[in-house]
Amino acid sequence: MRMATALSVVVLAAGGIGHAVVTGLDTGITRVDPFKDMKNRPQAGTGMNVLVVGTDGRDRITPEEKRKYRLGGAPCHCTDTVLLVHISEDRDRASVVSLPRDSYAELPEHTDQNSGRKHQAHPVKLNAAYAEGGPALTVRTVEAMTRVKIDHYLEVDFTSFMRTVDAVGGVQICTTKPVKDSYTGLRLAAGTHELDGGQALQYVRSRHIDGAADIGRMQRQQKFLAALVDRLTGGGVLFNPVRFREVATTLLGSVRADEEFGTDQLLALAKAMRGFTPASSEFVSVPIGDVDFPVKGIGSTVKWDAAKAQRLFAAVREDRPLASRPEAAAVRKPKAVVVDVAPRNVRVQVYNGTRIDGLGRKVDDALRGTGFDTTRSPLTGAGEPKRTLIEYDPRWDRSAKSLAAALPGAELKAVPKRGGTLRVTVGADYEGVTAVRAEAAPARGPFEAVTGDQVVCP
């Protein structure tokens, strides 16, 4: 056993996961041909593009799981999630573009896979493409909408999703406030949670948590994917042949994929991801022009912003990063504490309550450096408090909590009618400012994309 372990370490260090580890894994994949008889396809770009769809496969869920995770009802045989995943040519970056399932789409002329009837081109919601024409019509529709040539197709249902999450040991999700969705049964208190497969499915399916509906759900799906990358790259899965084979077998044993997606592609992706961190992944949703675009006979659809979407997909075709990359020095900064209210929305007046000259300016600069809207004019405070004091109007209590996270140990004091500007009196206990950020990371770059390290737990 020791010899085998030592040998595996040498093999991994020399060249990543070996071919023998993944050989034969693709024999369990159910094959589909999403590219059959396709004509007038977009020109191939640089890098690799994979269309990943999540299907409503609740017909394969056990009765106990249906009850526990609120998966009752008949399956809709449609796509619950549509993701365009771009792997850069140098295999150093993965870009994930979320396509809203309710996106306004125009299906090309096709034959209905259920009735056999021929249909002329007509408008639908994007997820209906799968119901009418399966993988092939879905690929044709996405290519027509994005002008991005799809290289591979991967279809994941509820069962394969849950089993895969369990195989990697679950994922870690953070939330700054309680999350509750009566439709999926999801209930999370504020804080950090380890989600198993069933809980993760509830998390990525929930769309009744807030008013953001499907847009909010896509953001949670992006957070989940970033957390999954973090677990794969930081949990030893890619460096342990036994665990890698277990996870790959679990995933590939219950997915559908095109004929060309097999051992070689899996090996290439595994080797590429050995150098991955959450910062290597980036996530973006298609720019939206109208979240409630009515279409006769279909209902409310999501209409893309045509000009912005065109620029986004041009960047994908040209293998360009979608998110701005911080400088190396910035990457080495400590991870920020996640807070409920973005610091840029918190107005702060700093008072120096000590005899240390210039400390008020120092604290003002430090708070501004982590994003708070300071007055830039620190004042001298009365007395010499031992503890730093934060005074706030009760109407701005959430803002006060965000400020308190940046000043660990500070005392909070509610002062009615003080107004929207919070007052910080620096005390003798001051030791520095802790970096904070809002749960929803600020937009980065022209496409409002975020990198994985911005949305995983700190």
Side-chain angles (χ1 to χ4, degrees):
M1 181 64 71
R2 293 191 186 95
M3 291 177 63
T5 301
L7 180 60
S8 67
V9 171
V10 172
V11 171
L12 287 170
I17 294 172
H19 195 281
V21 175
V22 297
T23 297
L25 288 181
D26 54 356
T27 57
I29 302 176
T30 300
R31 296 297 181 181
V32 296
D33 186 2
F35 310 118
K36 183 178 180 181
D37 299 328
M38 289 187 64
K39 301 176 181 178
N40 301 318
R41 301 187 64 191
Q43 184 177 355
T46 306
M48 180 172 68
N49 300 310
V50 184
L51 184 64
V52 180
V53 302
T55 58
D56 183 355
R58 69 188 72 195
D59 50 342
R60 300 177 58 197
I61 301 294
T62 67
E64 181 182 355
E65 289 172 327
K66 284 185 177 181
R67 288 192 299 271
K68 185 175 181 180
Y69 302 119
R70 308 282 181 91
L71 297 170
C76 70
H77 301 293
C78 58
T79 50
D80 207 45
T81 301
V82 184
L83 303 173
L84 176 59
V85 181
H86 175 79
I87 309 296
S88 64
E89 182 70 17
D90 58 13
R91 299 300 191 258
D92 283 342
R93 185 183 73 257
S95 306
V96 181
V97 183
S98 297
L99 311 182
R101 67 176 190 173
D102 291 338
S103 295
Y104 174 85
E106 294 186 4
L107 295 188
E109 182 179 325
H110 65 280
T111 299
D112 192 302
Q113 66 173 1
N114 301 307
S115 65
R117 294 175 53 192
K118 290 188 176 181
H119 292 290
Q120 299 297 317
H122 63 279
V124 294
K125 294 181 180 180
L126 178 57
N127 68 338
Y130 186 91
E132 290 192 28
L137 187 58
T138 301
V139 170
R140 288 179 63 192
T141 303
V142 170
E143 286 193 345
M145 296 173 73
T146 65
R147 304 310 300 164
V148 173
K149 185 176 183 180
I150 305 300
D151 300 303
H152 295 291
Y153 174 88
L154 191 64
E155 183 179 310
V156 183
D157 65 9
F158 290 171
T159 301
S160 55
F161 178 92
M162 291 193 295
R163 303 295 182 265
T164 301
V165 172
D166 287 337
V168 301
V171 295
Q172 188 179 78
I173 294 294
C174 298
T175 177
T176 58
K177 50 190 174 183
V179 173
K180 181 179 179 180
D181 187 333
S182 59
Y183 286 81
T184 64
L186 177 70
R187 281 182 172 83
L188 297 177
T192 302
H193 304 271
E194 289 283 341
L195 306 186
D196 61 21
Q199 294 168 321
L201 182 62
Q202 290 176 305
Y203 182 79
V204 300
R205 292 186 63 239
S206 292
R207 61 199 303 260
H208 300 280
I209 292 175
D210 47 40
D214 204 41
I215 305 301
R217 186 179 72 152
M218 288 193 303
Q219 293 172 343
R220 285 184 285 277
Q221 290 172 352
Q222 293 170 353
K223 287 185 65 174
F224 163 80
L225 288 173
L228 182 61
V229 170
D230 192 26
R231 183 55 54 91
L232 285 170
T233 57
V237 174
L238 297 180
F239 296 89
N240 186 318
V242 176
R243 287 208 64 202
F244 178 80
R245 186 175 181 86
E246 176 188 355
V247 172
T249 301
T250 301
L251 172 63
L252 299 181
S254 54
V255 303
R256 302 210 303 169
D258 63 275
E259 291 286 349
E260 299 301 321
F261 188 87
T263 296
D264 291 339
Q265 287 70 34
L266 187 64
L267 180 61
L269 289 175
K271 284 184 176 180
M273 287 190 67
R274 289 183 70 245
F276 261 43
T277 66
S280 305
S281 57
E282 52 186 14
F283 302 89
V284 65
S285 300
V286 174
I288 304 300
D290 189 346
V291 296
D292 186 19
F293 181 70
V295 179
K296 185 178 180 180
I298 299 175
S300 176
T301 67
V302 175
K303 190 71 177 291
W304 296 358
D305 183 312
K308 292 182 179 179
Q310 184 177 7
R311 290 194 292 270
L312 169 66
F313 293 118
V316 172
R317 290 192 296 270
E318 296 166 10
D319 198 22
R320 290 187 277 118
L322 306 181
S324 299
R325 300 286 161 173
E327 297 296 329
V331 175
R332 291 193 294 269
K333 289 183 180 179
K335 289 185 176 180
V337 175
V338 178
V339 294
D340 195 10
V341 177
R344 67 178 181 276
N345 296 326
V346 181
R347 182 71 170 170
V348 181
Q349 171 66 61
V350 175
Y351 288 79
N352 184 3
T354 74
R355 294 185 179 183
I356 303 175
D357 291 338
L359 184 58
R361 168 61 60 190
K362 181 179 179 181
V363 175
D364 187 285
D365 290 344
L367 288 173
R368 177 164 288 275
T370 197
F372 287 98
D373 180 20
T374 65
T375 63
R376 300 192 184 188
S377 299
L379 303 173
T380 301
E384 297 180 22
K386 293 182 178 180
R387 289 182 62 187
T388 297
L389 177 66
I390 299 174
E391 297 174 273
Y392 65 96
D393 190 309
R395 293 175 296 172
W396 278 269
D397 60 332
R398 292 169 60 238
S399 297
K401 291 177 181 178
S402 294
L403 181 57
L407 295 166
E411 178 185 354
L412 283 168
K413 181 180 179 180
V415 181
K417 299 182 180 180
R418 175 167 291 282
T421 299
L422 279 62
R423 172 172 173 164
V424 173
T425 302
V426 183
D429 65 336
Y430 174 77
E431 294 183 352
V433 169
T434 297
V436 299
R437 65 171 174 83
E439 181 175 21
R444 301 183 66 94
F447 306 115
E448 299 186 357
V450 295
T451 51
D453 58 314
Q454 292 178 288
V455 292
V456 295
C457 296

